[in-house]
mmCIF file with all atom_site columns, all heavy atoms in Angstrom:
data_model
loop_
_atom_site.group_PDB
_atom_site.id
_atom_site.type_symbol
_atom_site.label_atom_id
_atom_site.label_alt_id
_atom_site.label_comp_id
_atom_site.label_asym_id
_atom_site.label_entity_id
_atom_site.label_seq_id
_atom_site.pdbx_PDB_ins_code
_atom_site.Cartn_x
_atom_site.Cartn_y
_atom_site.Cartn_z
_atom_site.occupancy
_atom_site.B_iso_or_equiv
_atom_site.pdbx_formal_charge
_atom_site.auth_seq_id
_atom_site.auth_comp_id
_atom_site.auth_asym_id
_atom_site.auth_atom_id
_atom_site.pdbx_PDB_model_num
ATOM 1  N N   . SER A 1 2  ? -6.641 -10.590 1.725  1.00 0.00 ? 25  SER A N   1
ATOM 2  C CA  . SER A 1 2  ? -6.848 -11.312 2.977  1.00 0.00 ? 25  SER A CA  1
ATOM 3  C C   . SER A 1 2  ? -7.452 -10.391 4.023  1.00 0.00 ? 25  SER A C   1
ATOM 4  O O   . SER A 1 2  ? -7.005 -9.250  4.204  1.00 0.00 ? 25  SER A O   1
ATOM 5  C CB  . SER A 1 2  ? -5.514 -11.860 3.495  1.00 0.00 ? 25  SER A CB  1
ATOM 6  O OG  . SER A 1 2  ? -4.956 -12.781 2.577  1.00 0.00 ? 25  SER A OG  1
ATOM 7  N N   . TYR A 1 19 ? -5.190 -7.361  5.778  1.00 0.00 ? 42  TYR A N   1
ATOM 8  C CA  . TYR A 1 19 ? -3.808 -7.551  6.215  1.00 0.00 ? 42  TYR A CA  1
ATOM 9  C C   . TYR A 1 19 ? -3.004 -8.285  5.148  1.00 0.00 ? 42  TYR A C   1
ATOM 10 O O   . TYR A 1 19 ? -3.558 -8.969  4.282  1.00 0.00 ? 42  TYR A O   1
ATOM 11 C CB  . TYR A 1 19 ? -3.750 -8.320  7.531  1.00 0.00 ? 42  TYR A CB  1
ATOM 12 C CG  . TYR A 1 19 ? -4.023 -9.817  7.422  1.00 0.00 ? 42  TYR A CG  1
ATOM 13 C CD1 . TYR A 1 19 ? -2.993 -10.751 7.492  1.00 0.00 ? 42  TYR A CD1 1
ATOM 14 C CD2 . TYR A 1 19 ? -5.323 -10.293 7.238  1.00 0.00 ? 42  TYR A CD2 1
ATOM 15 C CE1 . TYR A 1 19 ? -3.242 -12.110 7.391  1.00 0.00 ? 42  TYR A CE1 1
ATOM 16 C CE2 . TYR A 1 19 ? -5.586 -11.644 7.141  1.00 0.00 ? 42  TYR A CE2 1
ATOM 17 C CZ  . TYR A 1 19 ? -4.538 -12.552 7.219  1.00 0.00 ? 42  TYR A CZ  1
ATOM 18 O OH  . TYR A 1 19 ? -4.785 -13.900 7.112  1.00 0.00 ? 42  TYR A OH  1
ATOM 19 N N   . GLU A 1 20 ? -1.704 -8.131  5.205  1.00 0.00 ? 43  GLU A N   1
ATOM 20 C CA  . GLU A 1 20 ? -0.773 -8.875  4.363  1.00 0.00 ? 43  GLU A CA  1
ATOM 21 C C   . GLU A 1 20 ? 0.177  -9.628  5.276  1.00 0.00 ? 43  GLU A C   1
ATOM 22 O O   . GLU A 1 20 ? 0.564  -9.131  6.337  1.00 0.00 ? 43  GLU A O   1
ATOM 23 C CB  . GLU A 1 20 ? -0.037 -7.929  3.410  1.00 0.00 ? 43  GLU A CB  1
ATOM 24 C CG  . GLU A 1 20 ? -1.004 -7.269  2.429  1.00 0.00 ? 43  GLU A CG  1
ATOM 25 C CD  . GLU A 1 20 ? -0.318 -6.474  1.325  1.00 0.00 ? 43  GLU A CD  1
ATOM 26 O OE1 . GLU A 1 20 ? 0.938  -6.346  1.359  1.00 0.00 ? 43  GLU A OE1 1
ATOM 27 O OE2 . GLU A 1 20 ? -1.033 -5.984  0.435  1.00 0.00 ? 43  GLU A OE2 1
ATOM 28 N N   . ASP A 1 21 ? 0.552  -10.827 4.866  1.00 0.00 ? 44  ASP A N   1
ATOM 29 C CA  . ASP A 1 21 ? 1.274  -11.767 5.730  1.00 0.00 ? 44  ASP A CA  1
ATOM 30 C C   . ASP A 1 21 ? 2.339  -12.458 4.889  1.00 0.00 ? 44  ASP A C   1
ATOM 31 O O   . ASP A 1 21 ? 2.019  -13.227 3.979  1.00 0.00 ? 44  ASP A O   1
ATOM 32 C CB  . ASP A 1 21 ? 0.264  -12.782 6.293  1.00 0.00 ? 44  ASP A CB  1
ATOM 33 C CG  . ASP A 1 21 ? 0.855  -13.700 7.359  1.00 0.00 ? 44  ASP A CG  1
ATOM 34 O OD1 . ASP A 1 21 ? 2.082  -13.709 7.526  1.00 0.00 ? 44  ASP A OD1 1
ATOM 35 O OD2 . ASP A 1 21 ? 0.068  -14.409 8.003  1.00 0.00 ? 44  ASP A OD2 1
ATOM 36 N N   . TYR A 1 22 ? 3.600  -12.161 5.172  1.00 0.00 ? 45  TYR A N   1
ATOM 37 C CA  . TYR A 1 22 ? 4.705  -12.681 4.361  1.00 0.00 ? 45  TYR A CA  1
ATOM 38 C C   . TYR A 1 22 ? 5.771  -13.330 5.236  1.00 0.00 ? 45  TYR A C   1
ATOM 39 O O   . TYR A 1 22 ? 5.977  -12.941 6.379  1.00 0.00 ? 45  TYR A O   1
ATOM 40 C CB  . TYR A 1 22 ? 5.362  -11.550 3.562  1.00 0.00 ? 45  TYR A CB  1
ATOM 41 C CG  . TYR A 1 22 ? 4.429  -10.786 2.664  1.00 0.00 ? 45  TYR A CG  1
ATOM 42 C CD1 . TYR A 1 22 ? 4.047  -9.482  2.974  1.00 0.00 ? 45  TYR A CD1 1
ATOM 43 C CD2 . TYR A 1 22 ? 3.935  -11.360 1.493  1.00 0.00 ? 45  TYR A CD2 1
ATOM 44 C CE1 . TYR A 1 22 ? 3.191  -8.768  2.146  1.00 0.00 ? 45  TYR A CE1 1
ATOM 45 C CE2 . TYR A 1 22 ? 3.081  -10.649 0.652  1.00 0.00 ? 45  TYR A CE2 1
ATOM 46 C CZ  . TYR A 1 22 ? 2.717  -9.359  0.990  1.00 0.00 ? 45  TYR A CZ  1
ATOM 47 O OH  . TYR A 1 22 ? 1.864  -8.662  0.167  1.00 0.00 ? 45  TYR A OH  1
ATOM 48 N N   . GLY A 1 23 ? 6.486  -14.295 4.661  1.00 0.00 ? 46  GLY A N   1
ATOM 49 C CA  . GLY A 1 23 ? 7.664  -14.850 5.304  1.00 0.00 ? 46  GLY A CA  1
ATOM 50 C C   . GLY A 1 23 ? 7.370  -15.898 6.361  1.00 0.00 ? 46  GLY A C   1
ATOM 51 O O   . GLY A 1 23 ? 6.224  -16.241 6.656  1.00 0.00 ? 46  GLY A O   1
ATOM 52 N N   . ARG A 1 54 ? 8.520  -13.512 10.009 1.00 0.00 ? 77  ARG A N   1
ATOM 53 C CA  . ARG A 1 54 ? 7.190  -13.445 9.405  1.00 0.00 ? 77  ARG A CA  1
ATOM 54 C C   . ARG A 1 54 ? 6.676  -12.033 9.627  1.00 0.00 ? 77  ARG A C   1
ATOM 55 O O   . ARG A 1 54 ? 6.638  -11.555 10.765 1.00 0.00 ? 77  ARG A O   1
ATOM 56 C CB  . ARG A 1 54 ? 6.260  -14.461 10.056 1.00 0.00 ? 77  ARG A CB  1
ATOM 57 C CG  . ARG A 1 54 ? 4.816  -14.427 9.563  1.00 0.00 ? 77  ARG A CG  1
ATOM 58 C CD  . ARG A 1 54 ? 3.985  -15.439 10.329 1.00 0.00 ? 77  ARG A CD  1
ATOM 59 N NE  . ARG A 1 54 ? 2.572  -15.390 9.954  1.00 0.00 ? 77  ARG A NE  1
ATOM 60 C CZ  . ARG A 1 54 ? 1.616  -16.094 10.542 1.00 0.00 ? 77  ARG A CZ  1
ATOM 61 N NH1 . ARG A 1 54 ? 1.917  -16.900 11.564 1.00 0.00 ? 77  ARG A NH1 1
ATOM 62 N NH2 . ARG A 1 54 ? 0.360  -15.990 10.127 1.00 0.00 ? 77  ARG A NH2 1
ATOM 63 N N   . CYS A 1 55 ? 6.309  -11.344 8.581  1.00 0.00 ? 78  CYS A N   1
ATOM 64 C CA  . CYS A 1 55 ? 5.902  -9.946  8.679  1.00 0.00 ? 78  CYS A CA  1
ATOM 65 C C   . CYS A 1 55 ? 4.422  -9.801  8.352  1.00 0.00 ? 78  CYS A C   1
ATOM 66 O O   . CYS A 1 55 ? 3.972  -10.179 7.263  1.00 0.00 ? 78  CYS A O   1
ATOM 67 C CB  . CYS A 1 55 ? 6.734  -9.084  7.733  1.00 0.00 ? 78  CYS A CB  1
ATOM 68 S SG  . CYS A 1 55 ? 6.450  -7.320  7.952  1.00 0.00 ? 78  CYS A SG  1
ATOM 69 N N   . ILE A 1 56 ? 3.681  -9.251  9.291  1.00 0.00 ? 79  ILE A N   1
ATOM 70 C CA  . ILE A 1 56 ? 2.246  -9.022  9.133  1.00 0.00 ? 79  ILE A CA  1
ATOM 71 C C   . ILE A 1 56 ? 2.000  -7.519  9.228  1.00 0.00 ? 79  ILE A C   1
ATOM 72 O O   . ILE A 1 56 ? 2.383  -6.878  10.209 1.00 0.00 ? 79  ILE A O   1
ATOM 73 C CB  . ILE A 1 56 ? 1.447  -9.762  10.230 1.00 0.00 ? 79  ILE A CB  1
ATOM 74 C CG1 . ILE A 1 56 ? 1.701  -11.273 10.133 1.00 0.00 ? 79  ILE A CG1 1
ATOM 75 C CG2 . ILE A 1 56 ? -0.041 -9.444  10.132 1.00 0.00 ? 79  ILE A CG2 1
ATOM 76 C CD1 . ILE A 1 56 ? 1.403  -12.025 11.413 1.00 0.00 ? 79  ILE A CD1 1
ATOM 77 N N   . ALA A 1 57 ? 1.390  -6.960  8.214  1.00 0.00 ? 80  ALA A N   1
ATOM 78 C CA  . ALA A 1 57 ? 1.051  -5.531  8.211  1.00 0.00 ? 80  ALA A CA  1
ATOM 79 C C   . ALA A 1 57 ? -0.429 -5.406  7.889  1.00 0.00 ? 80  ALA A C   1
ATOM 80 O O   . ALA A 1 57 ? -0.901 -5.979  6.903  1.00 0.00 ? 80  ALA A O   1
ATOM 81 C CB  . ALA A 1 57 ? 1.895  -4.775  7.190  1.00 0.00 ? 80  ALA A CB  1
ATOM 82 N N   . LEU A 1 89 ? -4.870 -15.273 14.206 1.00 0.00 ? 112 LEU A N   1
ATOM 83 C CA  . LEU A 1 89 ? -3.715 -15.879 13.526 1.00 0.00 ? 112 LEU A CA  1
ATOM 84 C C   . LEU A 1 89 ? -2.935 -16.809 14.451 1.00 0.00 ? 112 LEU A C   1
ATOM 85 O O   . LEU A 1 89 ? -1.933 -17.385 14.031 1.00 0.00 ? 112 LEU A O   1
ATOM 86 C CB  . LEU A 1 89 ? -2.796 -14.788 12.976 1.00 0.00 ? 112 LEU A CB  1
ATOM 87 C CG  . LEU A 1 89 ? -3.395 -13.898 11.867 1.00 0.00 ? 112 LEU A CG  1
ATOM 88 C CD1 . LEU A 1 89 ? -2.390 -12.841 11.427 1.00 0.00 ? 112 LEU A CD1 1
ATOM 89 C CD2 . LEU A 1 89 ? -3.846 -14.739 10.672 1.00 0.00 ? 112 LEU A CD2 1
ATOM 90 N N   . LEU A 1 91 ? -0.982 -16.329 17.085 1.00 0.00 ? 114 LEU A N   1
ATOM 91 C CA  . LEU A 1 91 ? 0.406  -15.908 17.157 1.00 0.00 ? 114 LEU A CA  1
ATOM 92 C C   . LEU A 1 91 ? 0.928  -15.948 18.590 1.00 0.00 ? 114 LEU A C   1
ATOM 93 O O   . LEU A 1 91 ? 0.195  -15.724 19.546 1.00 0.00 ? 114 LEU A O   1
ATOM 94 C CB  . LEU A 1 91 ? 0.550  -14.476 16.618 1.00 0.00 ? 114 LEU A CB  1
ATOM 95 C CG  . LEU A 1 91 ? 0.078  -14.232 15.184 1.00 0.00 ? 114 LEU A CG  1
ATOM 96 C CD1 . LEU A 1 91 ? 0.227  -12.757 14.840 1.00 0.00 ? 114 LEU A CD1 1
ATOM 97 C CD2 . LEU A 1 91 ? 0.844  -15.100 14.190 1.00 0.00 ? 114 LEU A CD2 1
#
Side-chain angles (χ1 to χ4, degrees):
S25 298
Y42 75 104
E43 296 188 355
D44 188 349
Y45 303 108
R77 177 183 176 185
C78 188
I79 299 159
L112 295 179
L114 302 177

